Amino acid sequence: DSGVTQTPKHLITATGQRVTLRCSPRSGDLSVYWYQQSLDQGLQFLIQYYNGEERAKGNILERFSAQQFPDLHSELNLSSLELGDSALYFCASSEQSSYNEQFFGPGTRLTVL
Amino acid sequence: ELKVEQNPLFLSMQEGKNYTIYCNYSTTSDRLYWYRQDPGKSLESLFVLLSNGAVKQEGRLMASLDTKARLSTLHITAAVHDLSATYFCAVAEYGNKLVFGAGTILRVKS
């Protein structure tokens, strides 16, 4: 158990809908990262937040957004969902913004029907 | 743009045998990570390699890093069934963004 928690574990929804994935980092970690894992794209970095502020952005679609709250938990919002958004979404956390090992949560499996 | 290539992508080996997984990356980086993933599970950190020539060992797994060649290896010694999993290398880009290889699916046959 890495100490990173994610909810829900599974999410099944329909195309066009909007969902919110939640992540709580390890105690004391200030940085949160979101990654998407799919069969065709592999593991891809989406976005990083550090102490409430966006720090780095990767291949995140405009339909996706994220934020980190004052208590350091983070939410990833996915809207106008398409079949291709079906994937495993991981959250990871680290102590600082750089040069620290990332610890991964259990993931949220999103299925868009 | 940083690219990370792993090979082989699939490895079927007999128990007791040795093998090596290779991870090449395209641009300079000072940090490389190896992760293990069991089917449907999260990523488990195996090794953190921070400098040229770094070598780390844990049980039957040994990882090394050659930053000049932009190459890391994960060596498996005397494989056992419990090592069956998917292994990823990941290279840190600017800040702490990780770029992952495609993963190596390892199947150890008894």
Side-chain angles (χ1 to χ4, degrees), chain B residues 16 19 47 57-62 74-80 83:
Chain B
Y19 210 85
F47 300 108
Q57 182 160 7
E58 180 73 36
R60 300 174 187 275
L61 301 178
M62 183 174 71
L74 180 66
H75 187 72
I76 303 153
T77 302
V80 293
L83 289 179

Side-chain angles (χ1 to χ4, degrees), chain B residues 24-40:
Chain B
N24 290 90
Y25 54 100
S26 60
T27 63
T28 302
S29 175
D30 55 0
R31 281 164 292 139
L32 189 139
Y33 304 85
W34 284 95
Y35 287 92
R36 167 182 171 144
Q37 185 179 38
D38 291 301

Side-chain angles (χ1 to χ4, degrees), chain B residues 86-98:
Chain B
T86 300
Y87 293 85
F88 291 94
C89 66
V91 179
E93 209 173 33
Y94 57 86
N96 210 15
K97 166 190 170 182
L98 294 183

Side-chain angles (χ1 to χ4, degrees), chain B residues 7-8 11 13 18-22 62 72-76 104:
Chain B
N7 68 82
L11 179 54
M13 54 192 299
N18 304 333
Y19 210 85
T20 301
I21 300 171
Y22 297 88
M62 183 174 71
S72 179
T73 60
L74 180 66
H75 187 72
I76 303 153
T104 297

Side-chain angles (χ1 to χ4, degrees), chain A residues 33 35 37 43 45 48 56-58 88 90 94 96-107 109, chain B residues 1 30-31 33 35 37 40-48 88 94-102:
Chain A
Y33 312 78
Y35 292 86
Q37 185 177 30
L43 264 162
F45 168 79
Q48 177 198 1
K57 219 168 186 176
L88 199 48
F90 287 110
S94 69
Q96 300 291 333
S97 175
S98 302
Y99 297 98
N100 290 120
E101 186 176 356
Q102 294 179 32
F103 295 88
F104 282 75
R109 181 168 294 282
Chain B
E1 182 189 346
D30 55 0
R31 281 164 292 139
Y33 304 85
Y35 287 92
Q37 185 179 38
K41 303 291 186 182
S42 185
L43 294 159
E44 174 192 352
S45 178
L46 294 174
F47 300 108
V48 180
F88 291 94
Y94 57 86
N96 210 15
K97 166 190 170 182
L98 294 183
V99 179
F100 283 85

Side-chain angles (χ1 to χ4, degrees), chain B residues 49-70:
Chain B
L49 303 171
L50 300 177
S51 61
N52 188 42
V55 177
K56 290 197 173 179
Q57 182 160 7
E58 180 73 36
R60 300 174 187 275
L61 301 178
M62 183 174 71
S64 66
L65 177 62
D66 181 343
T67 57
K68 292 180 182 177
R70 297 177 188 161

